[in-house]
Amino acid sequence: MNKNDTLEQCISQLADADLGQLIMAVAEACCELSALVQQGELAGILGAAGSSNVQGEDQKKLDIIANDVFLEKLPPCGQLLAMASEEMEDIYPVNKPSPEAKYLITFDPLDGSSNIDVNGAVGTIFSVLTHAGGDVSSESFLQPGSQQICAGYCLYSSATMLILTTGDGAHGFTLDTSSGSFVLSHPHMQLPKTTTDYSINAAYQRHWFAPIKQYIDECVAGKDGVRGENFNMRWAGAMVGDVHRIMCKGGLFLYPSNKKLASEGKQGKLRLLYEANPMSFIVEQAGGAATTGEQRIMELQPDGLHQRVPVIMGSEVEVQRVTSYHDNSAV
Ligand code: P6P
């Protein structure tokens, strides 16, 4: 693969013919979503849909439109057995098992949709699994993240970028709007091992458990505290925006469990199958790390399509530090 090659020119080096066809179908859906997002209100896509999803979250019009684009663009590729989405309670069967139809895809069609009405960063996150055989059910999707064969996100921001891994590095493609092709702009992305940038929603400070409170307090204390250096905080309100910044310059993304979520019976806010696992695969392929604070995210055995988990991911040294604070508090 050479910089400025198109995704079409690179795909055969990233995937076999069947997976390559599925990836190209995902890229086509992302290209269509990018055009819609760029249109904003002119396309009549802003605002609430007046409905809520399985998570009990108010849906934006574009949440539903984005989900529909994926349901339209992906099945014709022929390789999919079924789809699972943040926006759908149950799986969406596509094809019967066959030599070609062997993949399962999970996706968050529009991550960070609360940003859409304020022209903030939004994105799509997806993850591809192979089916172990037999009838397809929601149970078929409950595979550890280490079983993923492909993961990616598309960030609709000042540029539209598709970041993709099939297990041989994480590669960034920028959408050339004049040709409609994704172009290899960031081959073999690598995360710095250390960082002084962190991303967390500080409004939940009073709900944090001790390890997170200790870590953030030390960052805020800066060079006057035990860390001996100053830190900076960014919070995009969209995982794809925060994780992409970290993919480009390093950093630590934290959406930890907290006392408020625990009181609601939730282990975290972000969903394992279509947010934490794909982003963990990408970040690890770029030399970063991803844990719940206590264990590697991609080793978790999922127990439900919409399971939520705590997420600490990014520059390896800082992930290890936060994880060590959890270990110490556990003793
Ligand atoms: P909060 C978007 O709704 C999302 O799922 C992630 O993309 C983002 O990082 C997080 O939730 C934002 O959560 O609690 O800050 O609104």
Side-chain angles (χ1 to χ4, degrees):
M1 295 192 304
N2 300 305
K3 196 166 178 179
N4 299 323
D5 284 349
T6 64
L7 179 59
E8 291 88 340
Q9 291 169 319
C10 297
I11 196 67
S12 60
Q13 297 169 70
L14 289 168
D16 65 22
D18 285 337
L19 181 57
Q21 269 195 266
L22 175 57
I23 292 170
M24 292 312 297
V26 170
E28 188 187 344
C30 292
C31 190
E32 178 160 331
L33 278 179
S34 175
L36 275 174
V37 167
Q38 299 304 322
Q39 280 290 302
E41 185 57 11
L42 301 182
I45 59 164
L46 302 186
S51 53
S52 58
N53 63 17
V54 61
Q55 330 283 341
E57 295 162 343
D58 293 339
Q59 288 176 305
K60 297 289 187 183
K61 288 179 195 168
L62 198 56
D63 280 320
I64 297 170
I65 294 167
N67 197 63
D68 290 345
V69 167
F70 264 74
L71 298 184
E72 175 202 340
K73 293 291 184 185
L74 269 56
C77 76
Q79 279 79 23
L80 277 178
L81 287 167
M83 306 167 75
S85 164
E86 174 179 320
E87 301 304 331
M88 302 186 295
E89 183 160 5
D90 298 318
I91 67 169
Y92 183 86
V94 177
N95 288 303
K96 295 282 185 212
S98 75
E100 296 74 35
K102 53 197 167 189
Y103 299 129
L104 306 168
I105 193 166
T106 69
F107 61 104
D108 179 357
L110 198 75
D111 174 65
S113 55
S114 58
N115 280 351
I116 195 65
D117 293 348
V118 296
N119 205 17
V122 292
T124 296
I125 309 172
F126 65 93
S127 166
V128 182
L129 298 162
T130 51
H131 177 50
D135 293 341
V136 178
S137 70
S138 57
E139 298 292 313
S140 309
F141 286 81
L142 304 187
Q143 301 179 36
S146 55
Q147 298 301 305
Q148 294 172 100
I149 60 166
C150 174
Y153 65 83
C154 193
L155 173 62
Y156 312 112
S157 184
S158 39
T160 290
M161 284 195 70
L162 177 65
I163 309 306
L164 189 62
T165 185
T166 53
D168 183 19
H171 309 288
F173 296 81
T174 300
L175 180 63
D176 175 350
T177 52
S178 60
S179 66
S181 290
F182 281 99
V183 176
L184 183 61
S185 52
H186 298 68
H188 294 286
M189 297 180 83
Q190 280 296 304
L191 274 181
K193 294 294 182 188
T194 60
T195 184
T196 54
D197 286 355
Y198 65 94
S199 296
I200 194 167
N201 184 333
Y204 302 137
Q205 183 179 7
R206 66 189 185 282
H207 302 306
W208 293 338
F209 289 114
I212 299 298
K213 192 170 180 344
Q214 176 186 350
Y215 179 80
I216 302 297
D217 285 350
E218 290 174 355
C219 290
V220 170
K223 63 179 180 9
D224 303 332
V226 296
R227 298 302 304 266
E229 56 186 325
N230 292 330
F231 284 71
N232 192 28
M233 193 195 93
R234 289 283 183 273
W235 188 247
M239 187 183 197
V240 286
D242 285 312
V243 170
H244 187 68
R245 185 185 58 256
I246 291 167
M247 286 290 290
C248 295
K249 57 181 291 218
L252 186 70
F253 176 86
L254 305 98
Y255 208 114
S257 59
N258 66 46
K259 297 166 189 169
K260 179 173 183 295
L261 288 167
S263 69
E264 296 163 359
K266 296 172 184 170
Q267 293 176 301
K269 176 178 184 186
L270 302 181
R271 276 62 54 145
L272 176 58
L273 289 188
Y274 39 82
E275 289 173 320
N277 268 342
M279 289 307 211
S280 297
F281 190 12
I282 294 162
V283 163
E284 287 195 4
Q285 283 290 311
T291 78
T292 62
E294 290 162 352
Q295 71 178 100
R296 182 175 174 241
I297 285 173
M298 292 216 294
E299 287 173 358
L300 291 172
Q301 173 54 51
D303 60 23
L305 276 184
H306 304 290
Q307 175 183 354
R308 298 170 187 265
V309 293
V311 176
I312 317 283
M313 66 168 57
S315 294
E316 189 178 34
V317 171
E318 292 303 302
V319 173
Q320 288 170 345
R321 176 182 282 264
V322 176
T323 304
S324 71
Y325 290 2
H326 283 78
D327 296 341
N328 296 339
S329 73
V331 295

